[in-house]
Amino acid sequence: MKPTVLVTGGAGFLGSHLCDRLIAAGNDVLCVDNFYTGNRDNIRHLLGHPSFELMRHDVMLPLYVQVDQIYNLACAASPVHYQTDPVGTTKTSVMGAINMLGLAKRQQARVLQASTSEVYGDPRQHPQREDYWGHVNPIGVRACYDEGKRCAETLFFDYHRQSAVDIRIIRIFNTYGPRLQMHDGRAVGNFILQALRGEPLTIYGDGSQTRSFCYVDDLIEGMVRTMDQNDAVGPVNLGNPVECTILELAETVLELTGSKSELVYNPLPFDDPVRRQPDISLARKLLDWSPQVELKDGLRETIAYFKTLL
């Protein structure tokens, strides 16, 4: 009998790619999404597939289904969306974790939490390792997401210690690729959209702040490997350790699109992290995983996708 895998947030950017991967591996997939930021077009090609089922449901409410594995990806992940409804963002992270852990406990299923590099806040340690506790403003405008994800990790470990729930936790660093939302406010999507439209590329701050950009296929590979291994519950950093300034990213997008757009500079948003780079030593050791897609190659694929939308 094929395993049944539940993917919450399955119509989102990462979730839809995960659904593709799981079906290709021979699983039955139950995709759950409330479509707050998910997009039906992301999974339209799977509708009607005998191994795919779509359920409109909000993880803030309990879910009673029979499953073997759970990937909990449900939560708005870009500042534009998670700051629009900060209370809903925190509730999605916390209540969603409680409901998925409850389901895992009832079904004796393994459950993976998609956490985030934002649990490190504006880090004082660089690069960031899993044993770093972070530097987070608990009352800032980003706290609904940062602290919501931190609390979700707490719940996962407490359910694991108290009730022996079989958990896995990954911390996802900046990820990009096809199906990235056009207007979610993140640098890769913003720059590509502006470049293709001939609009000025908006850089916040002086562009010296850094991020580490991981292509979606690499991220999904690491996620599945984390779920399938039996040696550690995590957390495990998943991201590209190659650090890049925002200005360098903008210049690369201009090069690849052939755009003549200018660069404009706006004030840096409040609490925006200055540096972000994962230490992936644990992922290399535990999962034999590291990103394989170079930034320019991944950006070419993402640009091609954005062209189809325009």
Short mmCIF file of all heavy atoms in Angstrom, two decimals, residues 140-208:
data_model
loop_
_atom_site.label_atom_id
_atom_site.label_comp_id
_atom_site.label_asym_id
_atom_site.label_seq_id
_atom_site.Cartn_x
_atom_site.Cartn_y
_atom_site.Cartn_z
N GLY A 140 8.53 43.37 17.70
CA GLY A 140 8.67 44.08 16.43
C GLY A 140 7.64 43.63 15.41
O GLY A 140 6.86 42.70 15.63
N VAL A 141 7.65 44.30 14.24
CA VAL A 141 6.65 44.02 13.22
C VAL A 141 6.87 42.66 12.55
O VAL A 141 5.95 42.13 11.92
CB VAL A 141 6.65 45.13 12.14
CG1 VAL A 141 6.17 46.44 12.74
CG2 VAL A 141 8.02 45.29 11.49
N ARG A 142 8.06 42.09 12.69
CA ARG A 142 8.33 40.78 12.12
C ARG A 142 8.11 39.65 13.13
O ARG A 142 8.20 38.47 12.79
CB ARG A 142 9.77 40.70 11.60
CG ARG A 142 10.12 41.72 10.53
CD ARG A 142 11.61 41.74 10.24
NE ARG A 142 12.07 40.51 9.62
CZ ARG A 142 12.28 40.36 8.31
NH1 ARG A 142 12.07 41.36 7.48
NH2 ARG A 142 12.72 39.21 7.83
N ALA A 143 7.81 40.02 14.38
CA ALA A 143 7.76 39.02 15.45
C ALA A 143 6.63 38.01 15.25
O ALA A 143 6.73 36.87 15.70
CB ALA A 143 7.61 39.71 16.81
N CYS A 144 5.54 38.43 14.59
CA CYS A 144 4.44 37.49 14.37
C CYS A 144 4.93 36.24 13.65
O CYS A 144 4.48 35.12 13.96
CB CYS A 144 3.32 38.15 13.58
SG CYS A 144 3.84 38.84 11.98
N TYR A 145 5.86 36.43 12.73
CA TYR A 145 6.42 35.30 11.98
C TYR A 145 7.59 34.67 12.74
O TYR A 145 7.61 33.45 12.96
CB TYR A 145 6.88 35.78 10.61
CG TYR A 145 7.36 34.69 9.69
CD1 TYR A 145 6.48 33.75 9.16
CD2 TYR A 145 8.71 34.59 9.32
CE1 TYR A 145 6.91 32.75 8.30
CE2 TYR A 145 9.15 33.60 8.46
CZ TYR A 145 8.26 32.68 7.96
OH TYR A 145 8.69 31.69 7.11
N ASP A 146 8.54 35.50 13.17
CA ASP A 146 9.73 34.99 13.85
C ASP A 146 9.36 34.20 15.10
O ASP A 146 9.78 33.05 15.30
CB ASP A 146 10.66 36.14 14.25
CG ASP A 146 11.11 36.98 13.06
OD1 ASP A 146 10.73 36.66 11.92
OD2 ASP A 146 11.84 37.96 13.28
N GLU A 147 8.57 34.83 15.98
CA GLU A 147 8.23 34.19 17.25
C GLU A 147 7.19 33.09 17.06
O GLU A 147 7.16 32.11 17.81
CB GLU A 147 7.71 35.23 18.25
CG GLU A 147 8.76 36.28 18.63
CD GLU A 147 9.86 35.73 19.53
OE1 GLU A 147 10.20 34.53 19.45
OE2 GLU A 147 10.39 36.52 20.32
N GLY A 148 6.33 33.24 16.04
CA GLY A 148 5.39 32.16 15.75
C GLY A 148 6.11 30.88 15.38
O GLY A 148 5.77 29.78 15.85
N LYS A 149 7.15 31.00 14.55
CA LYS A 149 7.93 29.83 14.15
C LYS A 149 8.77 29.29 15.31
O LYS A 149 8.97 28.08 15.44
CB LYS A 149 8.83 30.18 12.96
CG LYS A 149 8.08 30.43 11.66
CD LYS A 149 7.55 29.14 11.06
CE LYS A 149 7.06 29.34 9.64
NZ LYS A 149 6.60 28.08 9.01
N ARG A 150 9.28 30.20 16.15
CA ARG A 150 10.05 29.75 17.31
C ARG A 150 9.15 28.96 18.27
O ARG A 150 9.54 27.91 18.80
CB ARG A 150 10.68 30.95 18.01
CG ARG A 150 11.89 31.51 17.28
CD ARG A 150 12.24 32.92 17.71
NE ARG A 150 12.77 32.99 19.07
CZ ARG A 150 14.07 32.99 19.38
NH1 ARG A 150 14.98 32.92 18.42
NH2 ARG A 150 14.48 33.08 20.63
N CYS A 151 7.94 29.46 18.47
CA CYS A 151 6.99 28.74 19.34
C CYS A 151 6.61 27.39 18.74
O CYS A 151 6.46 26.40 19.46
CB CYS A 151 5.75 29.60 19.57
SG CYS A 151 4.59 28.89 20.75
N ALA A 152 6.46 27.34 17.42
CA ALA A 152 6.14 26.07 16.77
C ALA A 152 7.25 25.05 17.02
O ALA A 152 6.97 23.87 17.30
CB ALA A 152 5.94 26.28 15.27
N GLU A 153 8.50 25.49 16.94
CA GLU A 153 9.61 24.58 17.25
C GLU A 153 9.53 24.09 18.69
O GLU A 153 9.77 22.91 18.98
CB GLU A 153 10.96 25.26 16.99
CG GLU A 153 11.29 25.47 15.53
CD GLU A 153 12.77 25.81 15.32
OE1 GLU A 153 13.58 25.58 16.25
OE2 GLU A 153 13.11 26.30 14.22
N THR A 154 9.20 25.00 19.61
CA THR A 154 9.04 24.61 21.02
C THR A 154 7.98 23.54 21.16
O THR A 154 8.18 22.52 21.85
CB THR A 154 8.64 25.84 21.86
OG1 THR A 154 9.65 26.84 21.76
CG2 THR A 154 8.46 25.46 23.33
N LEU A 155 6.84 23.74 20.52
CA LEU A 155 5.75 22.76 20.59
C LEU A 155 6.18 21.41 20.02
O LEU A 155 5.86 20.36 20.59
CB LEU A 155 4.53 23.29 19.84
CG LEU A 155 3.76 24.41 20.53
CD1 LEU A 155 2.86 25.15 19.54
CD2 LEU A 155 2.91 23.84 21.68
N PHE A 156 6.90 21.43 18.92
CA PHE A 156 7.35 20.18 18.31
C PHE A 156 8.25 19.40 19.27
O PHE A 156 8.07 18.19 19.47
CB PHE A 156 8.07 20.45 16.99
CG PHE A 156 7.18 20.32 15.78
CD1 PHE A 156 6.15 21.24 15.56
CD2 PHE A 156 7.34 19.29 14.89
CE1 PHE A 156 5.32 21.12 14.47
CE2 PHE A 156 6.52 19.16 13.78
CZ PHE A 156 5.49 20.08 13.57
N PHE A 157 9.19 20.10 19.90
CA PHE A 157 10.07 19.39 20.82
C PHE A 157 9.34 18.95 22.08
O PHE A 157 9.63 17.87 22.63
CB PHE A 157 11.29 20.26 21.16
CG PHE A 157 12.43 20.04 20.22
CD1 PHE A 157 12.58 20.83 19.09
CD2 PHE A 157 13.34 19.02 20.44
CE1 PHE A 157 13.62 20.60 18.20
CE2 PHE A 157 14.39 18.79 19.56
CZ PHE A 157 14.53 19.59 18.43
N ASP A 158 8.37 19.73 22.55
CA ASP A 158 7.63 19.32 23.75
C ASP A 158 6.72 18.13 23.47
O ASP A 158 6.59 17.22 24.30
CB ASP A 158 6.84 20.50 24.31
CG ASP A 158 7.73 21.50 25.04
OD1 ASP A 158 8.86 21.10 25.43
OD2 ASP A 158 7.32 22.65 25.23
N TYR A 159 6.08 18.09 22.31
CA TYR A 159 5.29 16.91 21.94
C TYR A 159 6.20 15.69 21.79
O TYR A 159 5.82 14.57 22.13
CB TYR A 159 4.54 17.15 20.63
CG TYR A 159 3.13 17.68 20.80
CD1 TYR A 159 2.89 19.02 21.10
CD2 TYR A 159 2.03 16.85 20.63
CE1 TYR A 159 1.60 19.51 21.24
CE2 TYR A 159 0.73 17.32 20.76
CZ TYR A 159 0.53 18.66 21.07
OH TYR A 159 -0.75 19.13 21.21
N HIS A 160 7.40 15.91 21.28
CA HIS A 160 8.36 14.82 21.11
C HIS A 160 8.81 14.28 22.47
O HIS A 160 8.82 13.06 22.69
CB HIS A 160 9.56 15.33 20.31
CG HIS A 160 10.67 14.34 20.15
ND1 HIS A 160 10.51 13.15 19.46
CD2 HIS A 160 11.96 14.36 20.57
CE1 HIS A 160 11.65 12.48 19.47
NE2 HIS A 160 12.55 13.18 20.14
N ARG A 161 9.14 15.17 23.40
CA ARG A 161 9.62 14.74 24.72
C ARG A 161 8.49 14.19 25.58
O ARG A 161 8.68 13.19 26.29
CB ARG A 161 10.29 15.92 25.42
CG ARG A 161 11.66 16.30 24.87
CD ARG A 161 12.32 17.40 25.67
NE ARG A 161 11.70 18.69 25.44
CZ ARG A 161 12.28 19.71 24.80
NH1 ARG A 161 13.52 19.56 24.32
NH2 ARG A 161 11.66 20.85 24.63
N GLN A 162 7.33 14.82 25.52
CA GLN A 162 6.23 14.46 26.41
C GLN A 162 5.40 13.29 25.89
O GLN A 162 4.95 12.45 26.67
CB GLN A 162 5.32 15.67 26.61
CG GLN A 162 4.18 15.45 27.61
CD GLN A 162 3.43 16.75 27.89
OE1 GLN A 162 4.00 17.83 27.88
NE2 GLN A 162 2.12 16.63 28.13
N SER A 163 5.21 13.23 24.55
CA SER A 163 4.31 12.23 23.98
C SER A 163 4.97 11.34 22.94
O SER A 163 4.27 10.55 22.28
CB SER A 163 3.09 12.92 23.35
OG SER A 163 2.40 13.71 24.31
N ALA A 164 6.28 11.46 22.77
CA ALA A 164 7.05 10.62 21.84
C ALA A 164 6.57 10.75 20.40
O ALA A 164 6.66 9.80 19.62
CB ALA A 164 7.00 9.15 22.28
N VAL A 165 6.05 11.94 20.04
CA VAL A 165 5.68 12.17 18.65
C VAL A 165 6.95 12.21 17.80
O VAL A 165 7.96 12.79 18.19
CB VAL A 165 4.90 13.49 18.51
CG1 VAL A 165 4.64 13.82 17.04
CG2 VAL A 165 3.57 13.41 19.26
N ASP A 166 6.88 11.57 16.65
CA ASP A 166 8.04 11.42 15.75
C ASP A 166 8.16 12.69 14.90
O ASP A 166 7.43 12.86 13.92
CB ASP A 166 7.83 10.19 14.87
CG ASP A 166 9.07 9.83 14.06
OD1 ASP A 166 10.14 10.42 14.30
OD2 ASP A 166 8.95 8.95 13.18
N ILE A 167 9.07 13.58 15.26
CA ILE A 167 9.17 14.89 14.63
C ILE A 167 10.45 15.05 13.81
O ILE A 167 11.44 14.34 14.04
CB ILE A 167 9.10 16.03 15.67
CG1 ILE A 167 10.37 16.02 16.55
CG2 ILE A 167 7.84 15.96 16.49
CD1 ILE A 167 10.57 17.29 17.37
N ARG A 168 10.39 16.00 12.87
CA ARG A 168 11.56 16.49 12.17
C ARG A 168 11.39 18.01 12.02
O ARG A 168 10.27 18.48 11.80
CB ARG A 168 11.72 15.87 10.77
CG ARG A 168 11.89 14.34 10.77
CD ARG A 168 13.22 13.92 11.35
NE ARG A 168 13.40 12.47 11.29
CZ ARG A 168 12.99 11.62 12.23
NH1 ARG A 168 12.34 12.06 13.31
NH2 ARG A 168 13.22 10.33 12.10
N ILE A 169 12.48 18.76 12.14
CA ILE A 169 12.43 20.22 11.98
C ILE A 169 13.53 20.67 11.04
O ILE A 169 14.69 20.30 11.20
CB ILE A 169 12.57 20.94 13.33
CG1 ILE A 169 11.39 20.62 14.25
CG2 ILE A 169 12.68 22.46 13.12
CD1 ILE A 169 11.52 21.23 15.64
N ILE A 170 13.14 21.47 10.04
CA ILE A 170 14.12 22.10 9.17
C ILE A 170 13.98 23.61 9.31
O ILE A 170 12.91 24.14 9.60
CB ILE A 170 13.93 21.70 7.69
CG1 ILE A 170 12.52 22.07 7.20
CG2 ILE A 170 14.23 20.23 7.50
CD1 ILE A 170 12.32 21.86 5.71
N ARG A 171 15.10 24.31 9.13
CA ARG A 171 15.09 25.78 9.12
C ARG A 171 15.47 26.23 7.71
O ARG A 171 16.61 26.07 7.29
CB ARG A 171 16.06 26.33 10.17
CG ARG A 171 15.57 26.09 11.59
CD ARG A 171 16.56 26.55 12.63
NE ARG A 171 16.03 26.37 13.99
CZ ARG A 171 16.76 26.37 15.09
NH1 ARG A 171 18.09 26.55 15.00
NH2 ARG A 171 16.20 26.21 16.27
N ILE A 172 14.50 26.79 7.02
CA ILE A 172 14.65 27.13 5.61
C ILE A 172 15.20 28.54 5.47
O ILE A 172 14.65 29.50 6.02
CB ILE A 172 13.29 27.03 4.88
CG1 ILE A 172 12.75 25.59 4.98
CG2 ILE A 172 13.42 27.46 3.44
CD1 ILE A 172 11.33 25.43 4.46
N PHE A 173 16.28 28.66 4.70
CA PHE A 173 16.82 29.96 4.34
C PHE A 173 16.25 30.39 2.98
O PHE A 173 15.55 29.61 2.33
CB PHE A 173 18.35 29.90 4.31
CG PHE A 173 18.99 29.87 5.68
CD1 PHE A 173 18.85 28.76 6.51
CD2 PHE A 173 19.72 30.96 6.15
CE1 PHE A 173 19.42 28.74 7.77
CE2 PHE A 173 20.29 30.94 7.41
CZ PHE A 173 20.14 29.84 8.23
N ASN A 174 16.53 31.59 2.57
CA ASN A 174 15.91 32.17 1.36
C ASN A 174 15.92 31.18 0.20
O ASN A 174 16.97 30.68 -0.20
CB ASN A 174 16.65 33.44 0.94
CG ASN A 174 16.49 34.55 1.96
OD1 ASN A 174 17.06 34.50 3.04
ND2 ASN A 174 15.70 35.56 1.63
N THR A 175 14.73 30.94 -0.34
CA THR A 175 14.55 29.99 -1.44
C THR A 175 13.83 30.69 -2.59
O THR A 175 12.98 31.55 -2.35
CB THR A 175 13.76 28.76 -0.97
OG1 THR A 175 14.39 28.21 0.20
CG2 THR A 175 13.71 27.69 -2.04
N TYR A 176 14.16 30.33 -3.80
CA TYR A 176 13.57 30.97 -4.98
C TYR A 176 13.42 29.94 -6.07
O TYR A 176 13.95 28.83 -6.01
CB TYR A 176 14.47 32.13 -5.46
CG TYR A 176 15.75 31.63 -6.08
CD1 TYR A 176 15.89 31.54 -7.47
CD2 TYR A 176 16.82 31.20 -5.29
CE1 TYR A 176 17.06 31.04 -8.04
CE2 TYR A 176 17.99 30.72 -5.85
CZ TYR A 176 18.10 30.63 -7.23
OH TYR A 176 19.24 30.13 -7.78
N GLY A 177 12.66 30.29 -7.11
CA GLY A 177 12.48 29.40 -8.25
C GLY A 177 11.12 29.62 -8.88
O GLY A 177 10.36 30.49 -8.45
N PRO A 178 10.77 28.84 -9.90
CA PRO A 178 9.45 28.92 -10.50
C PRO A 178 8.35 28.73 -9.44
O PRO A 178 8.52 27.99 -8.48
CB PRO A 178 9.45 27.76 -11.51
CG PRO A 178 10.90 27.58 -11.85
CD PRO A 178 11.65 27.86 -10.59
N ARG A 179 7.23 29.43 -9.66
CA ARG A 179 6.06 29.49 -8.77
C ARG A 179 6.25 30.45 -7.60
O ARG A 179 5.35 30.57 -6.77
CB ARG A 179 5.65 28.10 -8.26
CG ARG A 179 5.31 27.13 -9.38
CD ARG A 179 4.87 25.76 -8.84
NE ARG A 179 4.97 24.76 -9.89
CZ ARG A 179 5.01 23.45 -9.66
NH1 ARG A 179 4.94 23.00 -8.42
NH2 ARG A 179 5.12 22.61 -10.66
N LEU A 180 7.40 31.11 -7.52
CA LEU A 180 7.55 32.20 -6.56
C LEU A 180 6.50 33.26 -6.89
O LEU A 180 6.29 33.59 -8.05
CB LEU A 180 8.95 32.79 -6.66
CG LEU A 180 9.43 33.74 -5.56
CD1 LEU A 180 9.59 32.98 -4.24
CD2 LEU A 180 10.76 34.37 -5.95
N GLN A 181 5.83 33.77 -5.86
CA GLN A 181 4.78 34.75 -6.11
C GLN A 181 5.37 36.06 -6.64
O GLN A 181 6.42 36.52 -6.20
CB GLN A 181 4.01 35.03 -4.82
CG GLN A 181 3.05 33.91 -4.45
CD GLN A 181 2.19 34.31 -3.27
OE1 GLN A 181 2.69 34.55 -2.19
NE2 GLN A 181 0.89 34.36 -3.49
N MET A 182 4.65 36.67 -7.55
CA MET A 182 5.14 37.88 -8.21
C MET A 182 5.20 39.08 -7.27
O MET A 182 6.09 39.91 -7.38
CB MET A 182 4.23 38.23 -9.40
CG MET A 182 4.32 37.27 -10.56
SD MET A 182 3.17 37.70 -11.88
CE MET A 182 3.81 39.28 -12.41
N HIS A 183 4.26 39.18 -6.37
CA HIS A 183 4.12 40.41 -5.59
C HIS A 183 4.26 40.14 -4.09
O HIS A 183 3.55 40.74 -3.29
CB HIS A 183 2.77 41.07 -5.87
CG HIS A 183 2.57 41.43 -7.32
ND1 HIS A 183 3.26 42.45 -7.94
CD2 HIS A 183 1.78 40.87 -8.26
CE1 HIS A 183 2.88 42.52 -9.21
NE2 HIS A 183 2.00 41.58 -9.44
N ASP A 184 5.17 39.26 -3.71
CA ASP A 184 5.27 38.93 -2.28
C ASP A 184 6.33 39.74 -1.56
O ASP A 184 6.57 39.56 -0.37
CB ASP A 184 5.48 37.43 -2.07
CG ASP A 184 6.88 36.95 -2.44
OD1 ASP A 184 7.67 37.76 -2.96
OD2 ASP A 184 7.18 35.78 -2.19
N GLY A 185 7.01 40.65 -2.27
CA GLY A 185 7.92 41.58 -1.62
C GLY A 185 9.32 41.07 -1.40
O GLY A 185 10.15 41.79 -0.86
N ARG A 186 9.61 39.83 -1.81
CA ARG A 186 10.95 39.31 -1.60
C ARG A 186 11.87 39.70 -2.76
O ARG A 186 11.42 39.90 -3.89
CB ARG A 186 10.91 37.79 -1.41
CG ARG A 186 10.37 37.44 -0.01
CD ARG A 186 10.38 35.96 0.25
NE ARG A 186 9.21 35.31 -0.30
CZ ARG A 186 8.83 34.07 0.03
NH1 ARG A 186 9.52 33.38 0.91
NH2 ARG A 186 7.76 33.54 -0.53
N ALA A 187 13.16 39.77 -2.48
CA ALA A 187 14.11 40.41 -3.40
C ALA A 187 14.13 39.76 -4.77
O ALA A 187 14.10 40.47 -5.80
CB ALA A 187 15.50 40.39 -2.77
N VAL A 188 14.21 38.44 -4.85
CA VAL A 188 14.34 37.79 -6.16
C VAL A 188 13.15 38.12 -7.04
O VAL A 188 13.29 38.56 -8.19
CB VAL A 188 14.50 36.27 -6.00
CG1 VAL A 188 14.41 35.58 -7.37
CG2 VAL A 188 15.84 35.93 -5.35
N GLY A 189 11.94 37.92 -6.52
CA GLY A 189 10.74 38.19 -7.30
C GLY A 189 10.61 39.66 -7.66
O GLY A 189 10.27 40.01 -8.80
N ASN A 190 10.87 40.54 -6.69
CA ASN A 190 10.80 41.98 -6.95
C ASN A 190 11.72 42.39 -8.08
O ASN A 190 11.33 43.09 -9.02
CB ASN A 190 11.19 42.77 -5.69
CG ASN A 190 10.03 42.97 -4.74
OD1 ASN A 190 8.93 42.50 -4.99
ND2 ASN A 190 10.29 43.65 -3.65
N PHE A 191 12.99 41.97 -8.00
CA PHE A 191 13.99 42.39 -8.97
C PHE A 191 13.65 41.87 -10.37
O PHE A 191 13.76 42.59 -11.36
CB PHE A 191 15.38 41.92 -8.56
CG PHE A 191 15.95 42.64 -7.38
CD1 PHE A 191 17.04 42.12 -6.68
CD2 PHE A 191 15.43 43.86 -6.95
CE1 PHE A 191 17.59 42.79 -5.60
CE2 PHE A 191 15.97 44.53 -5.86
CZ PHE A 191 17.05 44.00 -5.18
N ILE A 192 13.25 40.60 -10.46
CA ILE A 192 12.94 40.03 -11.77
C ILE A 192 11.74 40.74 -12.39
O ILE A 192 11.76 41.12 -13.57
CB ILE A 192 12.68 38.51 -11.66
CG1 ILE A 192 13.96 37.77 -11.30
CG2 ILE A 192 12.10 37.97 -12.98
CD1 ILE A 192 13.77 36.29 -11.05
N LEU A 193 10.70 40.94 -11.61
CA LEU A 193 9.50 41.61 -12.12
C LEU A 193 9.81 43.02 -12.57
O LEU A 193 9.40 43.46 -13.67
CB LEU A 193 8.43 41.62 -11.02
CG LEU A 193 7.02 42.05 -11.41
CD1 LEU A 193 6.46 41.13 -12.49
CD2 LEU A 193 6.10 42.05 -10.20
N GLN A 194 10.56 43.77 -11.75
CA GLN A 194 10.89 45.15 -12.11
C GLN A 194 11.78 45.19 -13.35
O GLN A 194 11.60 46.03 -14.24
CB GLN A 194 11.57 45.82 -10.92
CG GLN A 194 10.63 46.09 -9.76
CD GLN A 194 11.35 46.48 -8.48
OE1 GLN A 194 12.54 46.21 -8.30
NE2 GLN A 194 10.63 47.11 -7.55
N ALA A 195 12.74 44.27 -13.44
CA ALA A 195 13.65 44.26 -14.59
C ALA A 195 12.90 43.95 -15.88
O ALA A 195 13.12 44.59 -16.92
CB ALA A 195 14.76 43.24 -14.36
N LEU A 196 12.01 42.95 -15.83
CA LEU A 196 11.27 42.57 -17.03
C LEU A 196 10.31 43.67 -17.49
O LEU A 196 10.02 43.80 -18.68
CB LEU A 196 10.50 41.27 -16.79
CG LEU A 196 11.34 40.00 -16.61
CD1 LEU A 196 10.45 38.81 -16.30
CD2 LEU A 196 12.19 39.72 -17.85
N ARG A 197 9.83 44.47 -16.55
CA ARG A 197 8.92 45.56 -16.89
C ARG A 197 9.66 46.87 -17.20
O ARG A 197 9.02 47.87 -17.53
CB ARG A 197 7.94 45.78 -15.74
CG ARG A 197 6.90 44.69 -15.61
CD ARG A 197 5.99 44.92 -14.42
NE ARG A 197 4.83 44.03 -14.45
CZ ARG A 197 3.95 43.90 -13.44
NH1 ARG A 197 4.13 44.58 -12.32
NH2 ARG A 197 2.92 43.09 -13.57
N GLY A 198 10.97 46.86 -17.05
CA GLY A 198 11.73 48.07 -17.30
C GLY A 198 11.59 49.11 -16.22
O GLY A 198 11.88 50.30 -16.45
N GLU A 199 11.16 48.68 -15.04
CA GLU A 199 10.99 49.60 -13.92
C GLU A 199 12.28 49.65 -13.10
O GLU A 199 13.09 48.72 -13.14
CB GLU A 199 9.83 49.13 -13.03
CG GLU A 199 8.50 49.06 -13.76
CD GLU A 199 7.43 48.34 -12.94
OE1 GLU A 199 7.77 47.77 -11.89
OE2 GLU A 199 6.26 48.35 -13.37
N PRO A 200 12.49 50.71 -12.32
CA PRO A 200 13.66 50.76 -11.44
C PRO A 200 13.65 49.60 -10.43
O PRO A 200 12.59 49.23 -9.92
CB PRO A 200 13.53 52.11 -10.74
CG PRO A 200 12.65 52.92 -11.62
CD PRO A 200 11.70 51.95 -12.26
N LEU A 201 14.83 49.04 -10.17
CA LEU A 201 14.95 47.99 -9.15
C LEU A 201 15.08 48.65 -7.79
O LEU A 201 15.98 49.46 -7.57
CB LEU A 201 16.16 47.09 -9.44
CG LEU A 201 15.90 45.88 -10.35
CD1 LEU A 201 15.44 46.33 -11.73
CD2 LEU A 201 17.15 45.01 -10.46
N THR A 202 14.19 48.28 -6.88
CA THR A 202 14.14 48.91 -5.56
C THR A 202 15.04 48.15 -4.59
O THR A 202 14.81 46.98 -4.29
CB THR A 202 12.70 48.90 -5.02
OG1 THR A 202 11.84 49.52 -5.99
CG2 THR A 202 12.62 49.67 -3.72
N ILE A 203 16.05 48.85 -4.10
CA ILE A 203 16.97 48.28 -3.11
C ILE A 203 16.72 48.99 -1.78
O ILE A 203 16.67 50.22 -1.72
CB ILE A 203 18.43 48.46 -3.55
CG1 ILE A 203 18.71 47.61 -4.80
CG2 ILE A 203 19.40 48.07 -2.42
CD1 ILE A 203 20.11 47.75 -5.35
N TYR A 204 16.54 48.20 -0.74
CA TYR A 204 16.32 48.76 0.59
C TYR A 204 17.65 48.84 1.33
O TYR A 204 18.43 47.89 1.32
CB TYR A 204 15.30 47.93 1.37
CG TYR A 204 13.93 47.98 0.72
CD1 TYR A 204 13.51 46.98 -0.15
CD2 TYR A 204 13.07 49.05 0.95
CE1 TYR A 204 12.27 47.03 -0.77
CE2 TYR A 204 11.83 49.12 0.34
CZ TYR A 204 11.43 48.11 -0.53
OH TYR A 204 10.21 48.18 -1.14
N GLY A 205 17.93 50.00 1.92
CA GLY A 205 19.23 50.23 2.51
C GLY A 205 20.22 50.54 1.40
O GLY A 205 19.87 51.02 0.32
N ASP A 206 21.50 50.25 1.67
CA ASP A 206 22.52 50.52 0.65
C ASP A 206 22.86 49.29 -0.20
O ASP A 206 23.75 49.33 -1.04
CB ASP A 206 23.79 51.07 1.31
CG ASP A 206 24.43 50.08 2.29
OD1 ASP A 206 23.95 48.93 2.39
OD2 ASP A 206 25.42 50.47 2.96
N GLY A 207 22.13 48.19 0.05
CA GLY A 207 22.34 46.97 -0.74
C GLY A 207 23.46 46.10 -0.24
O GLY A 207 23.75 45.06 -0.83
N SER A 208 24.09 46.50 0.88
CA SER A 208 25.21 45.70 1.41
C SER A 208 24.74 44.54 2.28
O SER A 208 25.53 43.65 2.61
CB SER A 208 26.16 46.59 2.22
OG SER A 208 25.50 47.12 3.36
#
